[in-house]
Amino acid sequence: MAAVAARHYQKQRINEEVVLLCIFAAEWFLMEEMHFTDEYRREKCLEKLREILGGPNKRGYLQERMNQEMDGVLDRLSLDFKNIRPIEVLIFSHGTAGLTNDLSARLAGLSCARAASVIKSRLRERFLLSRSPRAQEYLALLPQKGCRFGEEMLYLHNLKYSKKWKL
């Protein structure tokens, strides 16, 4: 009986992890079947991605979950740095989650990946110069180097390689 309860819990956790991806995929396929224009599909997909990962106008599921799981880290960040802009909080959350600069820039509506990188560098500098008692926590969450999509990201997330990636 304990094994059944454990499997039920495991199934529930897996469902929680993939539900947003499944909703995104279902909407994508529905738009394909309806023969919507590429521009409309792109607009709707970007809207759904921003709902999941956050965007320039509002927090997404990622930010809500991060705040929930990390004891309100994004709310504390906003309190510690009164003049921090929402776009900076968004880029911070993306960096913490391991998103690439390119993906982060596209979701945030920035001009290029370099713009996201500059925001992260400036945030690191502000954290280093800060008197906030949580500055080291923020620095620990914001990686020094962004990851790239592809083989490197698979390695970073320990999905494919057992030996160390050449840097």
Side-chain angles (χ1 to χ4, degrees), residues 29-46:
F29 292 130
L30 178 64
M31 286 187 282
E32 287 285 320
E33 288 175 11
M34 301 287 286
H35 301 289
F36 289 133
T37 64
D38 288 344
E39 183 58 33
Y40 181 80
R41 282 196 314 261
R42 183 185 183 287
E43 180 183 316
K44 289 300 178 187
C45 287
L46 186 57

Side-chain angles (χ1 to χ4, degrees), residues 29-90:
F29 292 130
L30 178 64
M31 286 187 282
E32 287 285 320
E33 288 175 11
M34 301 287 286
H35 301 289
F36 289 133
T37 64
D38 288 344
E39 183 58 33
Y40 181 80
R41 282 196 314 261
R42 183 185 183 287
E43 180 183 316
K44 289 300 178 187
C45 287
L46 186 57
E47 185 180 297
K48 184 56 72 178
L49 285 172
R50 286 179 171 163
E51 190 178 304
I52 296 168
L53 300 172
N57 301 325
K58 66 176 186 165
R59 289 181 174 184
Y61 174 78
L62 171 66
Q63 289 76 30
E64 297 304 323
R65 184 74 187 258
M66 186 178 291
N67 227 15
Q68 182 182 32
E69 296 291 325
M70 297 179 161
D71 302 319
V73 69
L74 298 179
D75 292 338
R76 285 185 279 120
L77 179 67
S78 296
L79 289 173
D80 286 352
F81 298 89
K82 299 283 187 216
N83 59 348
I84 195 166
R85 298 174 300 154
I87 196 81
E88 292 171 317
V89 175
L90 179 67

Side-chain angles (χ1 to χ4, degrees), residues 85 87-88 90-92 94-95 99-124 142-143 146:
R85 298 174 300 154
I87 196 81
E88 292 171 317
L90 179 67
I91 298 299
F92 174 83
H94 288 169
L99 274 63
T100 63
N101 286 335
D102 183 59
L103 180 56
S104 187
R106 290 173 189 263
L107 291 167
L110 299 173
S111 60
C112 61
R114 178 94 175 115
S117 179
V118 167
I119 289 173
K120 287 197 281 190
S121 294
R122 289 180 180 165
L123 281 173
R124 263 189 231 94
L142 194 59

Side-chain angles (χ1 to χ4, degrees), residues 114-167:
R114 178 94 175 115
S117 179
V118 167
I119 289 173
K120 287 197 281 190
S121 294
R122 289 180 180 165
L123 281 173
R124 263 189 231 94
E125 187 175 321
R126 283 173 70 184
F127 298 157
L128 285 168
L129 298 174
S130 168
R131 293 184 181 170
S132 168
R134 295 180 283 263
Q136 290 304 313
E137 174 189 6
Y138 304 138
L139 280 169
L141 291 172
L142 194 59
Q144 282 290 329
K145 189 170 188 162
C147 58
R148 293 170 283 174
F149 241 50
E151 300 297 315
E152 299 92 336
M153 193 169 198
L154 286 174
Y155 168 74
L156 289 173
H157 295 284
N158 200 20
L159 296 176
K160 188 172 181 180
Y161 296 103
S162 59
K163 63 181 181 179
K164 193 167 185 162
W165 187 262
K166 295 178 184 176
L167 297 174

